[in-house]
Amino acid sequence: CPGPATSQTPVMDCGMQLACANGDCFNTGYTADTGLGKAATMIYAMKAVSDELSVNSMEIFVGNDMRCGVSVFDAIGAQNCCSLTGWATGVLQCNANEKLLAQYRNAKECHYVGSYCANKTALGVCTVNEQTYCCFDGKLSRIIAEQGRPQLNRGWGTPTSPDCSGFSLTELQQLDFNKMDLSEFYDDALASMPTETPSDLSSRINDNINQQMPASQ
């Protein structure tokens, strides 16, 4: 004789060591990876290689020679177009390139090469002192340029004749990114990544599970 009618309700049980999203379960029992910042930075580094490769010179991470001046004998008084504090004394006399350089420096995209006397009186007294920088397309590019040059035994030239050139493709292949300290960029990389609160994550996972569970029979 047939027994009473029964119904079955399938459930998804991934256990205590699994997490499920979009129907895919993965083990969460491993020790958490603390290198997310480094991993994200390397992703941005590889993207920078693709974005910044100069087709004309076939170089990567090319900097621009930028300079600012400090005049202590200006007709209207001391003028400092290199100051980043209350920028800048005598600002109306600073040229467009000096103002642009201040923006790059505030964004930490420039490497300081050095300073030199750009103008002297007949008696040899320096009246204008200029500072020289190599400025890059981004903070990460500047960091890689600074970290990579020592590996290739390359310097930055002199303040009057800086070397802001980039790396050739051959030089790029010689760089060991594992030996670079890119921690200065970690916070920037993590800050630009999409974030999700635990509550949002829980709701999204539950919604995905409910959508994929078969209807009760």
Side-chain angles (χ1 to χ4, degrees):
C1 298
T6 62
S7 63
Q8 296 180 344
T9 304
V11 297
M12 183 177 293
D13 182 5
C14 291
M16 296 300 293
Q17 296 297 320
L18 296 176
C20 302
N22 298 321
D24 297 322
C25 296
F26 56 92
N27 196 324
T28 62
Y30 298 105
T31 302
D33 183 5
T34 59
L36 179 59
K38 183 175 182 179
T41 298
M42 293 308 299
I43 292 175
Y44 278 90
M46 295 303 100
K47 183 178 185 301
V49 170
S50 174
D51 293 345
E52 298 184 23
L53 178 63
S54 172
V55 177
N56 294 327
S57 64
M58 293 305 292
E59 291 184 342
I60 187 66
F61 304 127
V62 179
N64 297 307
D65 175 2
M66 302 189 72
R67 311 182 189 192
C68 57
V70 179
S71 174
V72 295
F73 294 107
D74 191 88
I76 61 172
Q79 175 183 326
N80 186 353
C81 291
C82 294
S83 174
L84 296 181
T85 304
W87 200 87
T89 305
V91 66
L92 295 179
Q93 301 299 317
C94 301
N95 61 45
N97 286 335
E98 289 172 321
K99 296 175 183 178
L100 181 60
L101 171 57
Q103 296 178 21
Y104 280 124
R105 290 176 60 201
N106 277 322
K108 301 185 184 301
E109 297 175 353
C110 299
H111 174 83
Y112 175 64
V113 178
S115 63
Y116 66 99
C117 181
N119 188 63
K120 294 182 180 180
T121 66
L123 299 177
V125 178
C126 186
T127 60
V128 177
N129 189 58
E130 284 203 338
Q131 297 179 7
T132 303
Y133 296 83
C134 287
C135 297
F136 298 84
D137 288 341
K139 182 178 179 180
L140 180 59
S141 299
R142 186 266 301 168
I143 296 172
I144 293 177
E146 291 178 335
Q147 297 278 328
R149 283 174 178 257
Q151 293 187 22
L152 301 172
N153 295 317
R154 286 184 53 183
W156 294 90
T158 65
T160 55
S161 183
D163 177 10
C164 298
S165 61
F167 299 131
S168 67
L169 295 181
T170 299
E171 289 177 324
L172 184 64
Q173 293 174 348
Q174 297 173 0
L175 296 179
D176 187 348
F177 282 82
N178 289 322
K179 294 182 179 179
M180 295 185 184
D181 180 8
L182 306 178
S183 57
E184 184 182 348
F185 189 76
Y186 288 0
D187 291 341
D188 293 349
L190 292 176
S192 63
M193 296 180 67
T195 59
E196 194 169 26
T197 66
S199 177
D200 292 337
L201 180 60
S202 178
S203 297
R204 180 168 61 82
I205 291 176
N206 288 330
D207 290 342
N208 289 333
I209 291 175
N210 292 332
Q211 291 175 5
Q212 296 181 48
M213 288 180 59
S216 299
Q217 297 179 353

